[in-house]
Amino acid sequence: MKKLLWGKAVRTHRRGAGFAGLALALAVPMTTVLAVTPAAATPPGLACDTGKHAVDDYTGYALCRNNGSTTQTFWVHLVCGWSPDVDGEHVTLNPGQSGQSTAHCAGLGTGIGEIHVRP
């Protein structure tokens, strides 16, 4: 009888440890989600629209207009999830000009997570 009770206690302990491990595993991704940094602000003097390409979720763009009084250079920066982050071409705009920078995340990743405009 003692042996039977000991086996039940071990199974109960293992089950409790399994639930604790599951709770810990579920808590880690939530912490990661909460730690995501907000998108960076658009550089001063530029008015920009950012987004994903209409038919390709791995291609992102920044379409900017220079509303300042000096020449500005910018580029799009894509946070690509599982793939390395990528930068688009550098675009230089005189006052009053508009231009676009595009970049493409690798197809093996999870796609675009964030789009930033870098000065």
Side-chain angles (χ1 to χ4, degrees):
M1 180 97 147
K2 272 187 168 180
K3 197 172 199 176
L4 180 62
L5 290 176
W6 173 253
K8 184 176 180 181
V10 169
R11 279 192 304 274
T12 303
H13 178 70
R14 285 184 187 162
R15 187 177 304 133
F19 285 128
L22 177 62
L24 179 62
L26 292 175
V28 170
M30 281 305 264
T31 304
T32 304
V33 169
L34 295 175
V36 172
T37 57
T42 302
L46 292 176
C48 300
D49 290 319
T50 61
K52 295 179 185 178
H53 191 276
V55 294
D56 182 5
D57 284 338
Y58 290 83
T59 300
Y61 66 87
L63 175 61
C64 296
R65 177 176 173 80
N66 183 353
N67 291 330
S69 59
T70 61
T71 301
Q72 297 266 8
T73 299
F74 75 95
W75 61 93
V76 68
H77 174 79
L78 303 180
V79 178
C80 295
W82 291 64
S83 296
D85 297 349
V86 292
D87 289 328
E89 65 279 3
H90 291 213
V91 178
T92 301
L93 302 174
N94 291 319
Q97 283 185 321
S98 295
Q100 179 174 307
S101 176
T102 60
H104 186 80
C105 291
L108 299 175
T110 54
I112 299 170
E114 292 181 13
I115 301 173
H116 301 269
V117 178
R118 298 280 168 89

